[in-house]
């Protein structure tokens, strides 16, 4: 494939071009409010197969389908009129457009490739204006995983996408950095309690308040002995994801603890990178460390927004160890913790 076309979301003719490429079966990376997605026509098995090829993604990992509007659910899912459908309606009404993916019974229009042969399809209506305009122009449901090489850190700007996929996809639509910075919450509303398979900006508490239904956060995928991914209820949210090449060490959530953790790592030729919140200081250590700014500790949203970019920056340095404070649980910090704990897991 020739080098990847770089399109600018501010130019209407570039938006049209992106839509045309998608309608003719090509791959376009585009911004959503969470991370950049690698889009293809979700109704075309051939187009969807290209996503797996470009990302080098195993075929057992199902894709999320993006819709312009909740009213289009019938194009991808068979929702019978039931208490379950009523629950889904509440979720869509409250959280869409937005960073929530809902697992629904699939319809036959969706190729097996999208769902990895499962009976459910993950659906979301993204809140980013560029994503919405692209969905409107194509009039297609778009299958889109995060636009990174499989297992790598998700991309939050067009540059990240090109770093992973230049020459492997038709185009990237540059719409600037993403607002949330962490992938959508994935929830199965068919179970009671509802089950969150991946934490995101829509929290368990928000889901419970909206529906009055209890919510359980699934942690089974984190067990290395959990068995083959195909057998897991949500295969892709598990073990080796979000892993930068350097080893990640997490410290307790205080400046003093971070300093101690850094001091323990330096020396002996180890090149230490530190993710340092802008409102924290490391003060002096005798040995040189690579300090990467990472949001502000007083703003969990900024930590979520900047996490993946900070990980990619430190990864592009010579650091062999990354030291990072682990935020306290609660709100969007649960999702930040989830990604960091996965990134820190031994391989
Ligand atoms: O924020 C996001 O969700 C981004 C943007 C582009 O929308 N997309 C994204 O997709 O993160 P991806 O493919 O990187 O992660 C989606 C994960 C899959 O790895 C899979 O585990 C889970 O969602 N998933 C998708 N469909 C599923 C299904 N039918 N059953 C169980 N899990 C599913
Ligand atoms: Mg992904």
């Amino acid at each position: 494939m020739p080098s990847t076309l770089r399109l600018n979301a501010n130019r209407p003719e570039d938006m049209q071009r992106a839509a045309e490429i998608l309608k003719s079966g090509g791959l376009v990376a585009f911004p959503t409010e969470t991370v950049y997605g690698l889009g293809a026509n979700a109704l075309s098995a051939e187009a969807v197969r290209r996503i797996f090829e470009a990302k080098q993604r195993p075929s057992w990992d199902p894709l999320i389908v993006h819709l312009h509007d909740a009213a289009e659910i019938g194009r991808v899912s068979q929702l019978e009129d039931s208490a379950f459908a009523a629950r889904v309606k509440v979720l869509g009404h409250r959280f869409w457009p937005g960073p929530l993916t809902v697992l629904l019974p699939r319809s036959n229009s969706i190729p097996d490739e999208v769902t990895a042969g499962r009976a459910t399809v993950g659906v979301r209506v993204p809140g980013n204006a560029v994503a919405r305009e692209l969905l409107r122009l194509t009039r297609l449901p778009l299958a889109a995983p995060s636009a990174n090489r499989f297992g790598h850190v998700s991309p939050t700007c067009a540059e990240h996408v090109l770093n992973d996929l230049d020459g492997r996809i038709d185009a990237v639509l540059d719409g600037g950095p993403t607002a949330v910075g962490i992938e959508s919450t994935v929830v199965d509303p068919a179970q009671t309690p509802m089950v969150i398979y991946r934490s995101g900006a829509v929290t368990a508490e928000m889901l419970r308040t909206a529906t009055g239904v209890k919510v359980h956060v699934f942690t089974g995928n984190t067990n290395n002995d959990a068995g083959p991914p195909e057998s897991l209820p949500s295969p892709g949210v598990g073990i080796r994801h979000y892993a930068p090449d350097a080893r990640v060490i997490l410290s307790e959530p205080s400046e003093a603890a971070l300093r101690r953790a850094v001091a323990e790592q330096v020396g002996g030729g180890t090149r230490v990178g530190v993710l340092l919140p802008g409102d924290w200081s490391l003060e002096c250590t005798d040995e040189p460390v690579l300090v990467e700014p990472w949001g502000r500790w007083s703003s969990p949203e900024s930590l979520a927004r900047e996490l993946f970019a900070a990980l990619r920056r430190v990864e592009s340095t010579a650091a062999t160890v990354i030291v990072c404070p682990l935020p306290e649980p609660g709100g969007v910090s649960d999702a930040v913790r989830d990604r960091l704990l996965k990134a820190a897991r031994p391989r």
Side-chain angles (χ1 to χ4, degrees):
M1 188 180 281
S3 75
T4 295
L5 195 60
R6 191 163 181 154
L7 301 172
N8 181 342
N10 291 321
R11 298 166 52 140
E13 63 271 32
D14 281 18
M15 291 295 297
Q16 287 290 353
R17 184 87 184 89
E20 278 158 27
I21 294 170
L22 289 166
K23 284 195 280 189
S24 59
L27 300 184
V28 178
F30 63 94
T32 78
E33 75 278 44
T34 57
V35 300
Y36 273 68
L38 179 57
N41 176 0
L43 304 178
S44 160
E46 204 188 315
V48 166
R49 275 198 290 272
R50 292 204 184 108
I51 291 181
F52 285 88
E53 228 174 270
K55 282 196 58 153
Q56 296 170 295
R57 179 181 175 109
S59 58
W60 47 253
D61 199 359
L63 305 180
I64 293 171
V65 175
H66 298 67
L67 302 176
H68 180 260
D69 198 289
E72 293 177 308
I73 276 185
R75 292 181 79 179
V76 299
S77 167
Q78 276 168 333
L79 261 186
E80 257 118 84
D81 197 21
S82 63
F84 172 56
R87 189 182 282 182
V88 171
K89 202 167 173 185
V90 170
L91 290 173
H93 196 255
R94 170 69 181 79
F95 298 107
W96 285 346
L100 179 70
T101 296
V102 178
L103 303 183
L104 300 175
R106 67 183 280 193
S107 75
N108 294 331
S109 60
I110 290 294
D112 279 339
E113 281 80 355
V114 171
T115 66
R118 285 162 188 264
T120 58
V121 58
V123 177
R124 89 178 185 98
V125 176
N128 173 288
V130 174
R132 288 180 60 71
E133 177 63 2
L134 196 60
L135 287 159
R136 193 187 68 79
L137 289 171
T138 57
R139 297 170 196 275
L140 287 171
L142 295 178
S146 52
N148 49 278
R149 262 185 300 111
F150 180 72
H152 196 211
V153 182
S154 288
T156 56
C157 65
E159 208 54 48
H160 295 165
V161 174
L162 290 169
N163 286 343
D164 279 19
L165 299 175
D166 195 9
R168 305 184 64 86
I169 63 177
D170 296 296
V172 56
L173 183 57
D174 189 344
T178 60
V180 176
I182 283 201
E183 306 89 337
S184 63
T185 306
V186 176
V187 69
D188 181 355
Q191 306 183 53
T192 304
M194 297 192 286
V195 178
I196 289 182
Y197 288 115
R198 182 175 70 186
S199 301
V202 174
T203 64
E205 180 57 26
M206 288 160 74
L207 292 170
R208 195 190 59 73
T209 306
T211 58
V213 180
K214 281 190 183 158
V215 180
H216 170 71
V217 181
F218 183 82
T219 53
N221 283 7
T222 59
N223 179 352
N224 283 323
D225 304 323
E230 298 90 310
S231 69
L232 296 170
S234 187
V237 302
I239 308 170
R240 275 176 27 254
H241 268 63
Y242 321 110
D245 295 332
R247 194 158 57 90
V248 177
I249 308 271
L250 302 175
S251 88
E252 293 295 315
S254 76
E255 286 175 270
L258 180 65
R259 275 179 216 132
R260 278 197 304 274
V262 170
E264 274 169 31
Q265 295 301 319
V266 291
T270 311
R271 281 184 297 254
V272 179
V274 184
L275 262 53
L276 186 69
D279 45 1
W280 280 18
S281 88
L282 203 53
E283 287 173 355
C284 51
T285 48
D286 300 338
E287 313 262 345
V289 293
L290 298 151
V291 174
E292 280 300 335
W294 174 38
R296 279 166 296 120
W297 195 254
S298 57
S299 163
E301 286 73 23
S302 76
L303 297 178
R305 187 164 54 241
E306 294 181 27
L307 175 64
F308 290 154
L311 284 174
R312 277 180 182 254
R313 280 198 309 273
V314 75
E315 187 189 63
S316 72
T317 69
T320 50
V321 167
I322 304 172
V323 185
C324 174
L326 184 65
E328 307 262 24
V332 71
S333 296
D334 287 345
V336 173
R337 286 169 59 86
D338 169 76
R339 305 310 187 270
L340 282 175
L341 289 165
K342 281 172 183 158
R345 209 172 297 146
R347 294 170 191 227

